Amino acid sequence: MARALVRTALTEADAPADRDTAELLTAELVANAVEHTRTCAPIELVVELLADGCQVEVHDGDPRPPGDLTGPHDDAHPDPWQEHGRGLLLLRALSSGCGHRRTERGKAVWFTLPARPAAVPSRGPAV
């Protein structure tokens, strides 16, 4: 549901950010929030359109910070058998910025995506 909400928000606003990447990273943040938050605690999704892209935040009721969002790590060769930990790797690798902050009810984990480069109309072969 979170993926669809982000795609719809970015599409309806004709946001310049990459929708596929926004969906993927949102799904990772929401999955982490679901895994680490009590079942009755709400999870909130916030999409903010920026002049130069977008920012997505996922709020949850767990005040503990997520894993290290600042890198660098030895992420070039993650353990292929490890079931967890790739979400933050994707977040660091695909976003233009990411982080977390405490909130009154827990924390917000966020990422920003830059605007996609404008498509340049192709010119025919040089004559």
Side-chain angles (χ1 to χ4, degrees):
M1 184 173 16
R3 290 176 79 115
L5 289 170
V6 166
R7 179 166 289 276
T8 299
L10 296 179
T11 299
E12 287 182 358
D14 197 26
D18 179 30
R19 293 173 187 98
D20 293 331
T21 302
E23 274 189 64
L24 173 65
L25 298 182
T26 298
E28 292 295 336
L29 290 185
V30 170
N32 284 348
V34 168
E35 182 176 340
H36 298 291
T37 302
R38 296 181 317 273
T39 56
C40 62
I43 295 171
E44 182 180 1
L45 176 64
V46 178
V47 180
E48 182 179 359
L49 302 176
L50 308 171
D52 59 349
C54 74
Q55 179 167 306
V56 176
E57 287 187 348
V58 174
H59 297 235
D60 66 50
D62 184 357
R64 294 175 297 172
D68 189 6
L69 292 172
T70 58
H73 295 282
D74 184 23
D75 289 334
H77 304 288
D79 181 354
W81 300 105
Q82 184 178 352
E83 292 185 21
H84 299 288
R86 287 189 173 77
L88 297 180
L89 166 64
L90 288 171
L91 201 63
R92 288 190 306 269
L94 299 177
S95 69
S96 57
C98 60
H100 71 279
R101 62 183 171 81
R102 290 202 55 143
T103 64
E104 288 182 21
R105 296 187 181 122
K107 71 174 171 302
V109 183
W110 58 269
F111 67 86
T112 56
L113 292 177
R116 292 179 309 242
V120 178
S122 65
R123 301 178 192 182
V127 183

